[in-house]
Amino acid sequence: DVDIFLGPDARDRGLGTEAMRMVVRHLIEGRDHQRITLSTSVDNARAIHIYEKLGFRRVGVMRKAALSHLTGEWEDELLMELVV
């Protein structure tokens, strides 16, 4: 599992994109992975934008799949994948 969190001071500087790009490169080039899957909250537009920019595609929605650390409620997760 990889979990990337950027605080407010680190946002809008391309750091999340670059961090995820490094993870993807490591898994593909260093570990010879052919498919990478991940999930994020369906409401996390910032993360979804980054993942799509890196080539991830939406696969589907997992209903009530994760407990929100903000609300304590179960929330839907967007499943995404990158196939090389």
Side-chain angles (χ1 to χ4, degrees):
D1 282 346
V2 175
D3 196 5
I4 296 174
F5 172 82
L6 297 178
D9 293 342
R11 294 184 184 145
D12 298 321
R13 296 172 41 202
L15 299 174
T17 301
E18 186 56 29
M20 198 62 204
R21 185 177 284 121
M22 291 173 64
V23 169
V24 167
R25 185 178 307 128
H26 171 73
L27 292 173
I28 292 171
E29 295 174 6
R31 299 270 187 145
D32 199 30
H33 284 266
Q34 302 299 309
R35 177 186 309 264
I36 302 169
T37 58
L38 58 81
S39 65
T40 189
S41 170
V42 296
D43 297 326
N44 193 344
R46 194 179 282 269
I48 294 166
H49 174 74
I50 289 170
Y51 301 143
E52 289 181 329
K53 186 167 29 172
L54 295 175
F56 284 83
R57 300 290 176 241
R58 299 170 190 229
V59 175
V61 175
M62 300 179 293
R63 301 287 177 212
K64 298 185 187 248
L67 194 59
S68 170
H69 66 282
L70 298 174
T71 67
E73 301 289 325
W74 289 96
E75 64 182 14
D76 296 345
E77 290 272 298
L78 176 64
L79 181 62
M80 302 182 78
E81 71 177 1
L82 173 67
V83 179
V84 293

